[in-house]
Amino acid sequence: MAGSRAPVTGDGEDAYRNIPGTVRLITVMAQILVTGATGNVGREVTAQLISAGVPVRAFVRDARTTRLPEGVEIATGDLSEPETLKRALNGITTVFLVWPFLTSEGAPAVLATIAGSARRLVYLSSSGVHEDAGRQTDPINQLHSDMESLIEASGLEWTILRADTIASNALGWAGQIRQDGVVRGPDIAPTAVVHQADVAAAAARVLTGDGHVGTTHVLTGPQVVSRAEQVRLIGEAIGRPLRFEKVPVEAARERMLADGRPPALVEALLASTRRPRSDLITSTVEEIVGRPPRTFSEWAADHAADFR
């Protein structure tokens, strides 16, 4: 599988570990498995389900370094090794899937494994996917389009969550902001950036509620904001003037490669610079969650400590 990693596996009791001081094995068998549970969205999904009293099992690569809310059941494994996922699916009826690779290679085996145990699947996709396009505008949107097609043909009861740019991506600027207050990078067209907690809240409702099977939901924030505006709003949240400095794509490519990022990942990330501006704003978060989505300014206030 392209982009695969060395799996962390476990057998028997070792596959479901109880880490002192961080998690405890819950007495009720979890019915929802969250993949990508240590990522920005997956962690929020896990936390919100636990907060609502829903038993959750988190699928992680290394239980020893995982920090999740108390009450989360842990299963170790890797999506690049479907047999490790099979163990984690014991007793599971519903799966939240975050696909961590750059291509859909290997996805048919993973989906077949899920379908062999679970009934429902909720997939985190991208709002950049266009159903009427023969080919998508860039590799990341093409990946999500390919995954959606495979999921729809999997035999599972599926729901697709197409999220706009997720606000937590801005956490990658923290080092530059702390250093000199200037965020340097390639520019990307403005979009309705969405708070990861709002994506997670919608996911939690879909995972536990009815009426979403066979549905594609597009999740956005309430305002279209540029990268420069995001940087400015972070500055307001931390009480420091900040600015965004656009870097030419070729210079950004050289820097990313020098930092050791895989070439395929670099090209996929830089392809997003060719995306057109999107003024799409949906009411989907409010319809599912029952409250308006949070602004990027609210997100910046929530995460001010990460930038100080």
Side-chain angles (χ1 to χ4, degrees):
M1 178 185 298
S4 62
R5 305 169 302 243
V8 177
T9 61
D11 293 301
E13 293 182 0
D14 192 47
Y16 306 100
R17 298 194 57 189
N18 189 14
I19 311 301
T22 58
V23 297
R24 61 181 173 82
L25 190 65
I26 55 182
T27 56
V28 178
M29 178 68 77
Q31 293 183 316
I32 296 177
L33 180 72
V34 176
T35 72
T38 58
N40 291 321
V41 174
R43 186 184 300 275
E44 285 277 0
V45 171
T46 301
Q48 294 198 33
L49 289 171
I50 285 293
S51 179
V54 179
V56 180
R57 184 178 300 154
F59 188 61
V60 304
R61 294 183 63 213
D62 189 350
R64 294 166 299 181
T65 60
T66 295
R67 295 292 181 268
L68 289 169
E70 184 178 0
V72 178
E73 186 179 329
I74 300 290
T76 56
D78 196 295
L79 289 176
S80 66
E81 299 289 343
E83 62 270 21
T84 68
L85 179 62
K86 185 174 182 179
R87 288 192 291 270
L89 286 165
N90 181 35
I92 294 295
T93 60
T94 304
V95 174
F96 179 69
L97 179 63
V98 178
W99 190 249
F101 307 107
L102 289 176
T103 75
S104 60
E105 180 186 353
V110 168
L111 293 173
T113 300
I114 293 172
S117 298
R119 184 180 75 253
R120 295 184 61 194
L121 176 73
V122 177
Y123 175 65
L124 181 61
S125 186
S126 167
S127 66
V129 172
H130 295 284
E131 296 174 3
D132 56 351
R135 294 289 296 177
Q136 302 298 316
T137 58
D138 60 68
I140 292 177
N141 286 333
Q142 186 62 52
L143 161 67
H144 287 301
S145 177
D146 293 342
M147 289 295 298
E148 289 185 15
S149 296
L150 291 170
I151 288 166
E152 291 170 10
S154 68
L156 289 156
E157 297 177 0
W158 56 265
T159 304
I160 305 296
L161 299 180
R162 289 180 179 169
D164 210 320
T165 303
I166 296 175
S168 55
N169 291 349
L171 291 172
W173 301 334
Q176 295 185 74
I177 287 174
R178 286 193 292 264
Q179 181 178 352
D180 62 8
V182 180
V183 174
R184 301 173 179 87
D187 204 3
I188 294 176
T191 63
V193 179
V194 60
H195 197 306
Q196 74 274 4
D198 289 338
V199 176
R205 293 292 181 92
V206 170
L207 286 162
T208 57
D210 297 322
H212 300 283
V213 173
T215 301
T216 298
H217 295 301
V218 180
L219 310 175
T220 75
Q223 300 169 333
V224 173
V225 290
S226 66
R227 283 195 156 187
E229 289 168 328
Q230 292 175 57
V231 172
R232 178 181 60 79
L233 290 168
I234 293 170
E236 291 181 1
I238 65 175
R240 288 176 53 204
L242 307 176
R243 66 182 175 88
F244 176 75
E245 183 179 295
K246 181 179 178 180
V247 172
V249 170
E250 188 54 43
R253 177 182 289 108
E254 292 177 3
R255 177 60 184 270
M256 290 179 181
L257 292 172
D259 287 343
R261 297 193 188 189
L265 174 60
V266 170
E267 295 309 315
L269 292 173
L270 291 178
S272 63
T273 64
R274 300 193 294 271
R275 293 176 185 171
R277 177 188 174 99
S278 172
D279 292 314
L280 175 68
I281 295 176
T282 70
S283 58
T284 310
V285 169
E286 185 168 9
E287 291 168 2
I288 295 175
V289 178
R291 58 162 177 75
R294 282 163 276 201
T295 64
F296 189 85
S297 180
E298 290 175 288
W299 179 88
D302 291 342
H303 292 272
D306 295 311
F307 298 98
R308 290 195 173 108

